[in-house]
Amino acid sequence: MEVKLIEVKRIRGRVHAVALVKSASRPGLWHRVHVDVYRASNRIIIEGQCDCEAFRYGLPCRHILAAADKAIINARLIKGGWGLN
Ligand SMILES: [Zn+2]
């Protein structure tokens, strides 16, 4: 999925990002996603919000996962590095 990161920050070990993710079904439409990725004990937690229909109907959506993936890659480039292991 095509993702445009608007902002990526590392805050207290969390990666926070705002992104636009291209709709797979509607040409020209981009969904706005807010996502946080962090580690809690032995799990990786992905928390996100999206403005797509699936999210509004209470379903998980792929846009949050796509934004999280790109945010993790880019967060590693931020000074000081960041890893999930
Ligand atoms: Zn979505």
Side-chain angles (χ1 to χ4, degrees):
M1 296 185 111
E2 198 174 334
V3 179
K4 292 181 190 170
L5 284 175
I6 293 171
E7 170 185 292
V8 185
K9 289 183 194 163
R10 291 170 58 213
I11 305 168
R12 290 190 297 276
R14 292 185 175 211
V15 169
H16 171 79
V18 180
L20 294 175
V21 182
K22 199 173 194 177
S23 168
S25 55
R26 297 185 192 182
L29 180 66
W30 293 77
H31 295 297
R32 191 173 183 89
V33 174
H34 289 252
V35 68
D36 285 275
V37 185
Y38 58 97
R39 184 162 184 144
S41 356
N42 216 20
R43 293 169 191 264
I44 301 303
I45 311 296
I46 296 172
E47 292 177 351
Q49 287 183 302
C50 182
D51 65 8
C52 76
E53 285 180 13
F55 188 86
R56 252 182 276 139
Y57 289 122
L59 301 168
C61 79
R62 298 164 61 203
H63 313 116
I64 292 169
L65 297 180
D69 183 52
K70 189 149 187 177
I72 289 167
I73 293 166
N74 282 269
R76 286 188 176 137
L77 304 176
I78 297 172
K79 193 178 176 192
W82 189 80
L84 290 172
N85 56 341

